Amino acid sequence: MIIYLYKPMHFAIILHGLNGSGKSTVAKILHQNLNFEIISFDTYWRVHKIRPDVATAKQRDKVYNQALQVALTEIKNRSVIIDCTSRSKLFPSRP
């Protein structure tokens, strides 16, 4: 007798980019098609009443750490889409 034990494999899709670049729209489309859980960092910014463009490094770390902890917990049970914003200061301006 052969018994196959399968451990479910879950995935994370990370959508990372500038404000207004369409990450949340893509996350919703992926959710509708793949039924992955959406973890939006926007939710955590609103909960802490902080705007990402004016957040201090300490505030940013708090928000990112909390959202990532949720993502790490959720991925044990299901696949996730992580929708997070980049700071525009990290990207050089285009001509």
Side-chain angles (χ1 to χ4, degrees):
M1 181 164 135
I2 299 174
I3 299 173
Y4 293 98
L5 299 176
Y6 292 100
K7 184 176 182 181
M9 185 181 300
H10 302 291
F11 300 92
I13 297 173
I14 301 172
L15 303 174
H16 195 263
L18 298 174
N19 287 335
S21 61
K23 299 174 304 299
S24 296
T25 301
V26 171
K28 288 175 188 171
I29 292 168
L30 290 170
H31 170 72
Q32 290 169 350
N33 288 285
L34 302 173
N35 198 32
F36 285 18
E37 178 74 20
I38 297 174
I39 298 170
S40 174
F41 280 43
D42 290 346
T43 302
Y44 297 92
W45 290 113
R46 281 192 295 274
V47 165
H48 292 287
K49 297 179 178 150
I50 303 168
R51 286 191 6 231
D53 57 334
V54 295
T56 66
K58 187 175 181 178
Q59 290 170 322
R60 196 171 26 259
D61 287 348
K62 182 177 183 177
V63 168
Y64 272 67
N65 286 333
Q66 185 179 12
L68 287 173
Q69 286 303 314
V70 170
L72 290 171
T73 300
E74 282 296 315
I75 202 165
K76 292 176 185 173
N77 302 311
R78 63 187 304 184
S79 295
V80 298
I81 301 164
I82 301 170
D83 175 8
C84 54
T85 303
S86 297
R87 292 186 354 221
S88 59
K89 292 178 185 177
L90 296 176
F91 296 90
S93 59
R94 293 185 177 196

